[in-house]
Each structure stands twice: as C-alpha cells, then as structure tokens.
Amino acid sequence: MSHWVKYTNDTFKNTDISLLEKALRTMSYGLDRNCKRISNAWGKEDVDFALTRHNEVISLGFRADKDNKLELVGDFYLTGLRQDTFLDKLAQCYQKERITKTLEDNRWSIDSIETNQNDEIVINAYQYAL
C-alpha cells in the first residue's frame, strides 16, 4: 500500500555522502545527486538526492533536516525495498564503510570483513607497533 514516509537514523548525522554511496552500492542501489524531486502517482517530495536501482530513480530520496541529519523520504510502494528494515541495513553498511575508511586512514590492515550468524558485521584488523 502506498504512503509517504520520513525516517531518520542517528547514524546519518553529518553523513559522508561518498561513504553513503559505497554502502548503497553494497546493497545494489545508488544515488542520483542531480535529482532534486522524487514522485510517483501518489505524491512527490523535494530531496537533496534520490535513490536509484539499476540507474533508475525510485520514489525514495534523502534530504538533510535542520540538524544536518539525513532523513529518508518518499514511498516504499513498488520499490522492492522493505520499509521495516531498509534504513537499519543501510546504517549498518554505512558504518562498515566509515569504520573501514577510519582504519585505513590510520594505517590499519584489514584482514577480513564478514557477516556472522546474527547478521552483524565483524571486521578483523591489525596494526604493527613501531
């Protein structure tokens, strides 16, 4: 059933958009930074950028709220995404990308990145002492 929603997640305050794009690619989605309005037969919304699937804009997008936190807005209907899990899964993938970048920037070597039986991401990394 179609209905327009707005979701936020504390993970997306001061979001690094390039890391968000990597996280979305992991999930087989993308961002269109040029698209400033999403719509479908039931509504429309102004956004900072739109979600894409197979390079096609879908009726979901992101915009920054007054506290500079990204909020997901739009309509999940006919997108193929699960409304109840999408933002949490995206937050998990985003944090994996953020932590991986932080480790690499601080000269850590990443041995493996795996998802355990509880659907938690486990990063094994090491750093040699000088």
Side-chain angles (χ1 to χ4, degrees), residues 27-55:
M27 299 171 65
S28 300
Y29 291 89
L31 283 182
D32 183 336
R33 293 185 189 215
N34 296 318
C35 182
K36 301 301 180 190
R37 176 164 271 218
I38 55 168
S39 63
N40 65 13
W42 299 278
K44 59 187 172 220
E45 196 81 41
D46 291 330
V47 295
D48 294 321
F49 28 84
L51 245 60
T52 62
R53 180 181 58 229
H54 309 297
N55 295 320

Short mmCIF file of all heavy atoms in Angstrom, two decimals, residues 27-55:
data_model
loop_
_atom_site.label_atom_id
_atom_site.label_comp_id
_atom_site.label_asym_id
_atom_site.label_seq_id
_atom_site.Cartn_x
_atom_site.Cartn_y
_atom_site.Cartn_z
N MET A 27 24.53 -2.66 -1.38
CA MET A 27 23.16 -3.15 -1.34
C MET A 27 22.51 -3.16 -2.74
O MET A 27 21.31 -3.39 -2.87
CB MET A 27 22.34 -2.29 -0.39
CG MET A 27 22.84 -2.31 1.03
SD MET A 27 22.03 -1.08 2.08
CE MET A 27 20.34 -1.68 2.09
N SER A 28 23.30 -2.89 -3.79
CA SER A 28 22.83 -2.84 -5.18
C SER A 28 21.91 -1.66 -5.48
O SER A 28 21.01 -1.75 -6.32
CB SER A 28 22.14 -4.15 -5.57
OG SER A 28 23.04 -5.22 -5.44
N TYR A 29 22.16 -0.54 -4.82
CA TYR A 29 21.42 0.70 -5.07
C TYR A 29 22.42 1.83 -5.30
O TYR A 29 23.62 1.63 -5.15
CB TYR A 29 20.49 1.04 -3.90
CG TYR A 29 19.35 0.06 -3.81
CD1 TYR A 29 19.47 -1.10 -3.08
CD2 TYR A 29 18.18 0.28 -4.52
CE1 TYR A 29 18.44 -2.03 -3.04
CE2 TYR A 29 17.15 -0.64 -4.48
CZ TYR A 29 17.29 -1.79 -3.75
OH TYR A 29 16.27 -2.71 -3.72
N GLY A 30 21.94 2.99 -5.65
CA GLY A 30 22.82 4.12 -5.87
C GLY A 30 22.13 5.42 -5.51
O GLY A 30 20.99 5.43 -5.05
N LEU A 31 22.86 6.53 -5.73
CA LEU A 31 22.33 7.87 -5.50
C LEU A 31 22.41 8.67 -6.80
O LEU A 31 23.39 8.58 -7.51
CB LEU A 31 23.16 8.62 -4.45
CG LEU A 31 22.99 8.31 -3.01
CD1 LEU A 31 23.89 9.22 -2.17
CD2 LEU A 31 21.55 8.45 -2.56
N ASP A 32 21.39 9.45 -7.05
CA ASP A 32 21.42 10.42 -8.13
C ASP A 32 21.51 11.79 -7.47
O ASP A 32 20.52 12.29 -6.93
CB ASP A 32 20.17 10.31 -8.99
CG ASP A 32 20.20 11.25 -10.19
OD1 ASP A 32 20.91 12.28 -10.13
OD2 ASP A 32 19.50 10.97 -11.17
N ARG A 33 22.71 12.39 -7.50
CA ARG A 33 22.92 13.68 -6.84
C ARG A 33 22.26 14.84 -7.60
O ARG A 33 22.10 15.91 -7.05
CB ARG A 33 24.41 13.95 -6.68
CG ARG A 33 25.10 13.01 -5.71
CD ARG A 33 26.54 13.43 -5.54
NE ARG A 33 27.32 12.46 -4.80
CZ ARG A 33 28.29 12.80 -3.98
NH1 ARG A 33 28.60 14.06 -3.79
NH2 ARG A 33 28.97 11.87 -3.34
N ASN A 34 21.89 14.62 -8.84
CA ASN A 34 21.27 15.67 -9.64
C ASN A 34 19.76 15.71 -9.49
O ASN A 34 19.13 16.71 -9.81
CB ASN A 34 21.64 15.51 -11.12
CG ASN A 34 23.12 15.67 -11.34
OD1 ASN A 34 23.75 16.55 -10.77
ND2 ASN A 34 23.69 14.79 -12.15
N CYS A 35 19.17 14.63 -9.05
CA CYS A 35 17.71 14.56 -8.91
C CYS A 35 17.29 15.27 -7.62
O CYS A 35 17.72 14.89 -6.54
CB CYS A 35 17.25 13.11 -8.90
SG CYS A 35 15.46 12.93 -8.80
N LYS A 36 16.46 16.27 -7.74
CA LYS A 36 16.04 17.07 -6.58
C LYS A 36 14.56 16.89 -6.25
O LYS A 36 14.04 17.54 -5.34
CB LYS A 36 16.31 18.56 -6.83
CG LYS A 36 17.79 18.86 -7.10
CD LYS A 36 18.66 18.44 -5.94
CE LYS A 36 20.13 18.74 -6.20
NZ LYS A 36 21.01 18.13 -5.22
N ARG A 37 13.87 16.00 -6.97
CA ARG A 37 12.46 15.75 -6.68
C ARG A 37 12.14 14.31 -7.05
O ARG A 37 12.48 13.84 -8.12
CB ARG A 37 11.57 16.68 -7.48
CG ARG A 37 10.08 16.39 -7.27
CD ARG A 37 9.28 17.53 -7.74
NE ARG A 37 9.14 18.41 -6.59
CZ ARG A 37 8.03 19.08 -6.32
NH1 ARG A 37 6.99 18.98 -7.10
NH2 ARG A 37 7.96 19.84 -5.25
N ILE A 38 11.51 13.62 -6.11
CA ILE A 38 11.03 12.26 -6.36
C ILE A 38 9.52 12.30 -6.42
O ILE A 38 8.88 13.18 -5.82
CB ILE A 38 11.51 11.28 -5.27
CG1 ILE A 38 11.11 11.77 -3.88
CG2 ILE A 38 13.01 11.05 -5.38
CD1 ILE A 38 11.26 10.76 -2.78
N SER A 39 8.94 11.35 -7.14
CA SER A 39 7.49 11.33 -7.23
C SER A 39 7.01 9.96 -7.70
O SER A 39 7.78 9.16 -8.22
CB SER A 39 7.00 12.40 -8.21
OG SER A 39 7.48 12.14 -9.51
N ASN A 40 5.75 9.74 -7.46
CA ASN A 40 5.03 8.61 -8.05
C ASN A 40 3.57 9.06 -8.18
O ASN A 40 3.26 10.24 -7.98
CB ASN A 40 5.22 7.32 -7.25
CG ASN A 40 4.64 7.34 -5.85
OD1 ASN A 40 3.87 8.23 -5.49
ND2 ASN A 40 5.00 6.37 -5.04
N ALA A 41 2.68 8.15 -8.50
CA ALA A 41 1.28 8.52 -8.73
C ALA A 41 0.60 9.06 -7.47
O ALA A 41 -0.43 9.72 -7.56
CB ALA A 41 0.51 7.31 -9.26
N TRP A 42 1.18 8.81 -6.30
CA TRP A 42 0.52 9.16 -5.04
C TRP A 42 1.14 10.37 -4.34
O TRP A 42 0.67 10.81 -3.32
CB TRP A 42 0.52 7.97 -4.10
CG TRP A 42 -0.25 6.83 -4.69
CD1 TRP A 42 -1.59 6.66 -4.68
CD2 TRP A 42 0.30 5.73 -5.42
NE1 TRP A 42 -1.93 5.52 -5.36
CE2 TRP A 42 -0.77 4.93 -5.82
CE3 TRP A 42 1.58 5.36 -5.78
CZ2 TRP A 42 -0.62 3.76 -6.55
CZ3 TRP A 42 1.74 4.20 -6.51
CH2 TRP A 42 0.65 3.42 -6.88
N GLY A 43 2.25 10.90 -4.84
CA GLY A 43 2.84 12.05 -4.17
C GLY A 43 4.17 12.46 -4.78
O GLY A 43 4.66 11.85 -5.73
N LYS A 44 4.73 13.49 -4.18
CA LYS A 44 6.03 13.99 -4.62
C LYS A 44 6.71 14.64 -3.42
O LYS A 44 6.07 15.03 -2.45
CB LYS A 44 5.89 14.96 -5.78
CG LYS A 44 5.04 16.16 -5.46
CD LYS A 44 4.81 16.98 -6.70
CE LYS A 44 3.80 18.05 -6.35
NZ LYS A 44 2.85 18.29 -7.36
N GLU A 45 8.04 14.76 -3.52
CA GLU A 45 8.83 15.30 -2.40
C GLU A 45 10.11 15.91 -2.94
O GLU A 45 10.74 15.36 -3.85
CB GLU A 45 9.16 14.16 -1.43
CG GLU A 45 9.61 14.57 -0.08
CD GLU A 45 8.47 14.94 0.86
OE1 GLU A 45 7.43 14.28 0.86
OE2 GLU A 45 8.68 15.92 1.60
N ASP A 46 10.51 17.06 -2.40
CA ASP A 46 11.81 17.64 -2.72
C ASP A 46 12.88 16.92 -1.91
O ASP A 46 12.69 16.65 -0.72
CB ASP A 46 11.83 19.13 -2.39
CG ASP A 46 10.94 19.94 -3.32
OD1 ASP A 46 10.78 19.54 -4.49
OD2 ASP A 46 10.41 20.98 -2.89
N VAL A 47 14.00 16.61 -2.55
CA VAL A 47 15.09 15.88 -1.91
C VAL A 47 16.43 16.51 -2.29
O VAL A 47 16.51 17.28 -3.24
CB VAL A 47 15.09 14.38 -2.30
CG1 VAL A 47 13.84 13.67 -1.79
CG2 VAL A 47 15.23 14.19 -3.80
N ASP A 48 17.47 16.16 -1.54
CA ASP A 48 18.82 16.57 -1.90
C ASP A 48 19.42 15.62 -2.93
O ASP A 48 20.23 16.02 -3.76
CB ASP A 48 19.71 16.65 -0.66
CG ASP A 48 19.27 17.75 0.29
OD1 ASP A 48 18.89 18.82 -0.20
OD2 ASP A 48 19.29 17.52 1.52
N PHE A 49 19.03 14.36 -2.88
CA PHE A 49 19.40 13.37 -3.88
C PHE A 49 18.46 12.18 -3.77
O PHE A 49 17.89 11.91 -2.72
CB PHE A 49 20.86 12.91 -3.79
CG PHE A 49 21.46 12.98 -2.43
CD1 PHE A 49 21.27 11.96 -1.53
CD2 PHE A 49 22.21 14.08 -2.05
CE1 PHE A 49 21.82 12.02 -0.26
CE2 PHE A 49 22.75 14.15 -0.77
CZ PHE A 49 22.56 13.12 0.11
N ALA A 50 18.31 11.47 -4.89
CA ALA A 50 17.35 10.36 -4.97
C ALA A 50 18.05 9.02 -4.95
O ALA A 50 19.20 8.90 -5.37
CB ALA A 50 16.53 10.49 -6.25
N LEU A 51 17.34 8.01 -4.49
CA LEU A 51 17.82 6.63 -4.56
C LEU A 51 17.58 6.10 -5.96
O LEU A 51 16.57 6.43 -6.59
CB LEU A 51 17.04 5.76 -3.57
CG LEU A 51 17.81 5.16 -2.41
CD1 LEU A 51 18.41 6.23 -1.56
CD2 LEU A 51 16.95 4.25 -1.61
N THR A 52 18.50 5.27 -6.42
CA THR A 52 18.34 4.63 -7.72
C THR A 52 18.50 3.12 -7.59
O THR A 52 19.19 2.64 -6.69
CB THR A 52 19.37 5.15 -8.76
OG1 THR A 52 20.69 4.84 -8.30
CG2 THR A 52 19.24 6.64 -8.97
N ARG A 53 17.85 2.43 -8.50
CA ARG A 53 18.03 0.98 -8.64
C ARG A 53 18.20 0.74 -10.13
O ARG A 53 17.37 1.19 -10.92
CB ARG A 53 16.82 0.22 -8.10
CG ARG A 53 16.96 -1.27 -8.24
CD ARG A 53 15.77 -2.06 -7.73
NE ARG A 53 14.57 -1.65 -8.43
CZ ARG A 53 13.43 -1.33 -7.84
NH1 ARG A 53 13.31 -1.38 -6.53
NH2 ARG A 53 12.38 -0.96 -8.54
N HIS A 54 19.27 0.09 -10.52
CA HIS A 54 19.59 -0.13 -11.94
C HIS A 54 19.61 1.21 -12.70
O HIS A 54 19.10 1.31 -13.81
CB HIS A 54 18.60 -1.09 -12.59
CG HIS A 54 18.41 -2.37 -11.85
ND1 HIS A 54 19.43 -3.28 -11.64
CD2 HIS A 54 17.32 -2.89 -11.21
CE1 HIS A 54 18.97 -4.30 -10.93
NE2 HIS A 54 17.70 -4.08 -10.66
N ASN A 55 20.17 2.23 -12.05
CA ASN A 55 20.31 3.58 -12.61
C ASN A 55 18.98 4.28 -12.88
O ASN A 55 18.94 5.28 -13.59
CB ASN A 55 21.18 3.57 -13.87
CG ASN A 55 22.60 3.18 -13.57
OD1 ASN A 55 23.16 3.57 -12.55
ND2 ASN A 55 23.18 2.38 -14.44
#
